[in-house]
Amino acid sequence: MFYLSLIEHTLRLPPHLLHLPVDEAIKSELETLFLDKFMISGQLKVALSFPGDGASTYMVEFRLIVFRPFIGEIIVAKLKESDASGLRLSLGFFDDIYIPVHLLPTPSRFEAIPNTRNQGRRIWDFGDPEEAQSEEPRFVIDGSDPIKFRVDSVIYPSIPLEQPENSKPFAPMVITGTINYDGLGPVSWWEEAEMIQEDE
């Protein structure tokens, strides 16, 4: 899920950052360049100046922890949104994880919460359909539990040249997951099953 990368980069520091200490200015500029990644440590190798340029240029070497999940990996996340099209999950530092309806347990249904914008909870109707409709649902996805999902695909969309004003922020990586397998979904579903097995 996480990779440690050693990167060497030629970094141009714009003039408006030159009033800061060099280490602080370099770190600030690297954080804007390497979006959604964690920098661990870095070192300045060479400082360069080019005639006619008000900026200073540095050769820097640094380590990044890069989040890059692989297909088939099992990850635990929290529910961010639930609507008619599926689930959106979050890892805290990364929110572009989607589980579409066709990758949810079947049969499942969406139950809208009144007076909200297309928000609600998902219910997995496991077992006899008549019993599932008559009693309080046991298998609910409502955000109260962490959710285990399996990575189904990882997409790196191309950066748009223009973005409409009211569109959501650009996501450099989008993960599609599934919970339609044994052991996946809210962790409480399977903790209960484990307790029943131990009692037998």
Side-chain angles (χ1 to χ4, degrees):
M1 178 165 36
F2 293 100
Y3 294 84
L4 183 63
S5 298
L6 180 65
I7 296 177
E8 190 173 291
H9 184 71
T10 303
L11 181 71
R12 181 182 181 274
L13 276 183
H16 73 274
L17 292 177
L18 296 178
H19 71 283
L20 297 171
V22 175
D23 288 350
E24 194 177 312
I26 288 173
K27 186 177 179 191
S28 171
E29 193 65 11
L30 286 174
E31 286 173 351
T32 59
L33 286 174
F34 294 93
L35 181 68
D36 292 337
K37 296 170 181 69
F38 302 109
M39 190 168 79
I40 294 183
S41 62
Q43 72 180 57
L44 175 66
K45 292 184 90 172
V46 180
L48 307 167
S49 291
F50 295 104
D53 189 2
S56 56
T57 304
Y58 297 91
M59 290 287 293
V60 291
E61 185 179 272
F62 55 95
R63 288 190 169 95
L64 284 180
I65 295 180
V66 182
F67 173 61
R68 193 178 71 195
F70 58 87
I71 293 172
E73 183 173 6
I74 306 296
I75 301 175
V76 179
K78 292 289 269 177
L79 182 68
K80 186 170 178 76
E81 293 175 15
S82 175
D83 59 26
S85 63
L87 307 176
R88 182 178 181 196
L89 306 180
S90 172
L91 295 172
F93 62 90
F94 183 79
D95 295 337
D96 294 299
I97 304 166
Y98 299 93
I99 301 179
V101 173
H102 70 278
L103 294 175
L104 291 169
T106 52
S108 66
R109 58 190 159 92
F110 176 70
E111 204 174 76
I113 298 172
N115 303 324
T116 61
R117 294 181 318 139
N118 199 23
Q119 292 289 306
R121 64 182 191 164
R122 281 265 162 207
I123 299 168
W124 178 27
D125 292 323
F126 180 77
D128 183 27
E130 289 178 14
E131 283 181 27
Q133 295 293 331
S134 62
E135 61 185 43
E136 179 63 28
R138 286 179 40 209
F139 300 106
V140 177
I141 302 173
D142 59 3
S144 59
D145 289 323
I147 297 171
K148 277 187 185 178
F149 72 95
R150 191 182 82 188
V151 176
D152 194 59
S153 70
V154 180
I155 299 167
Y156 301 93
S158 55
I159 299 171
L161 297 175
E162 289 184 23
Q163 199 161 348
E165 262 186 54
N166 296 329
S167 65
K168 65 179 187 170
F170 171 72
M173 177 173 65
V174 177
I175 299 171
T176 302
T178 180
I179 59 171
N180 195 16
Y181 291 94
D182 289 346
L184 301 180
V187 294
S188 63
W189 291 359
W190 306 105
E191 287 169 354
E192 186 180 316
E194 285 174 12
M195 286 191 286
I196 292 167
Q197 271 187 335
E198 285 172 7
D199 291 343
E200 291 174 356

